[in-house]
Amino acid sequence: MSSPTAAPSYAAVLRTPHACRTFGAALLGRLSYGVAPLSLVLAVKEATGSYAVAGGTMAVFGLTGVFLSPARARLIDRYGPRRVLPLMASVYAVLLTVLAGATAWSGGSAVLLTVLSAAAGATTPPLGPVMRTLWSTLVPDRPLLQRAYSLDGVAEELLFVTGPLLVGVLMKVAAPSAGLAVSAVLVLAGALLLVASPAVDGWGAAGQAATEPEGPEESEGPEGPEGSEGPEGPSQGTPSRAKSRLAGDGSGLRRAIAVTAGLGMGLGALDLLVIAFAEEHRAAHTIPWIMAALSAGSAVGGLAYGAVSWRVSGRHRVSALALALGLVMAATGFAPHPYVLIAGAALGGLFVAPALTTAYLIADECAGPGARTTAGAWVNTAFNAGSSGSTAAVGLLVGHMPLPVLFILAAAPVVLSAGATLIPARR
């Protein structure tokens, strides 16, 4: 799968001018995404006393957030983060604060809470896609950009572990609605600090490069100089790299979306199957350990993957990674005990962050500079939509089919997405 060569360390990424400041601001705001969902469910449940209402508000919050993500990212690509992010983050923070107030006492209106949750989800600022676009500006060197994306992915993984822990700490001293207020402060502070970074200064120039030719200079693709193989195969040597990305690499973006949708479907189903597996073996106490093992494996795999310069094209790498993950997922269904499943989850996790990192790299390379945020948002949306859809589908099948069969079915979209990335592009 690989032909590794010597690569600079992650320290080289963080030593890039303005990288630490910009990345730290983005992580501060993105911590809100690990705090808000659990806080919303707990706060609505306490206010209404209904699991159905809590689940419904969480569903509309997630769905509007996922499916409107590309539209929000398109606004940022068009007008720039300094004009859009502060307004978007302010509206989102206000809505979370209103939700915190509306759930602070019992007897809240289910309709009002649902409407507020839908509006909050619709205005969620896309800090992740914006940060990945800024990485492309901060770190133009492709091998170093791979390490930046790996570092970003691992950090995001840890944020979604840290967020619920922070909610648990807050619940010891305050009501669940306090988590929504804290989430509002986090996202607003992070967004404002992000747009204040000097790294955002070059955003307008990057957008202009999407529409203006760069001249007859030779371009360098993601895997090396002109003529080497990138996400779409051998470079065609067009005079304008920007024009090539906008006009000829749509199939590459579709591949990235396909593989992340497959990964989302597999991992979303896995979350539910892990619970069913543990309960079937009367070992519910192992559920957090299994999920922690998956996250830990993903973090380790992401750091290791980003530390290597790969000579193989991105689409071949992401195909091999998705295939390996799918096979491990299928095999874990035959684990004789939850402790064995913990080891299987850790092994499968090794391929999660690398596969997502490569998909984001492919999307970044295939999109023009003026559409990078939108491209990244589509990849993110595909993953989240796949995860939500497969969780609902598997929920209908649990109890009606043997668990090993369900694990194989969950792995099928991951394996199929691996094959989709290898289909030759139509130019």
Side-chain angles (χ1 to χ4, degrees), residues 254-295:
R254 287 192 292 271
R255 286 169 176 163
I257 291 172
V259 74
T260 48
L263 290 172
M265 292 173 70
L267 294 173
L270 184 64
D271 287 345
L272 193 58
L273 292 178
V274 162
I275 297 173
F277 185 96
E279 290 180 346
E280 184 179 272
H281 288 79
R282 302 182 184 278
H285 64 281
T286 62
I287 294 173
W289 292 101
I290 296 171
M291 302 314 298
L294 182 68
S295 296

Side-chain angles (χ1 to χ4, degrees), residues 79-187:
Y79 298 107
R82 283 195 172 134
R83 295 178 63 184
V84 178
L85 264 186
L87 177 60
M88 199 177 290
S90 298
V91 174
Y92 178 70
V94 167
L95 289 169
L96 287 183
T97 304
V98 173
L99 269 170
T103 56
W105 61 86
S106 60
S109 167
V111 174
L112 174 62
L113 294 177
T114 302
V115 171
L116 289 173
S117 298
T123 56
T124 306
L127 296 178
V130 169
M131 185 63 232
R132 281 184 284 271
T133 302
L134 290 174
W135 279 127
S136 300
T137 304
L138 289 167
V139 188
D141 177 68
R142 296 305 298 185
L144 202 58
L145 180 61
Q146 175 182 294
R147 266 164 287 297
Y149 272 31
S150 295
L151 183 63
D152 189 279
V154 170
E156 189 170 58
E157 188 86 32
L158 296 177
L159 287 180
F160 281 96
V161 175
T162 306
L165 295 177
L166 179 57
V167 174
V169 173
L170 288 172
M171 288 183 63
K172 293 182 181 296
V173 297
S177 56
L180 292 171
V182 170
S183 182
V185 172
L186 288 172
V187 74

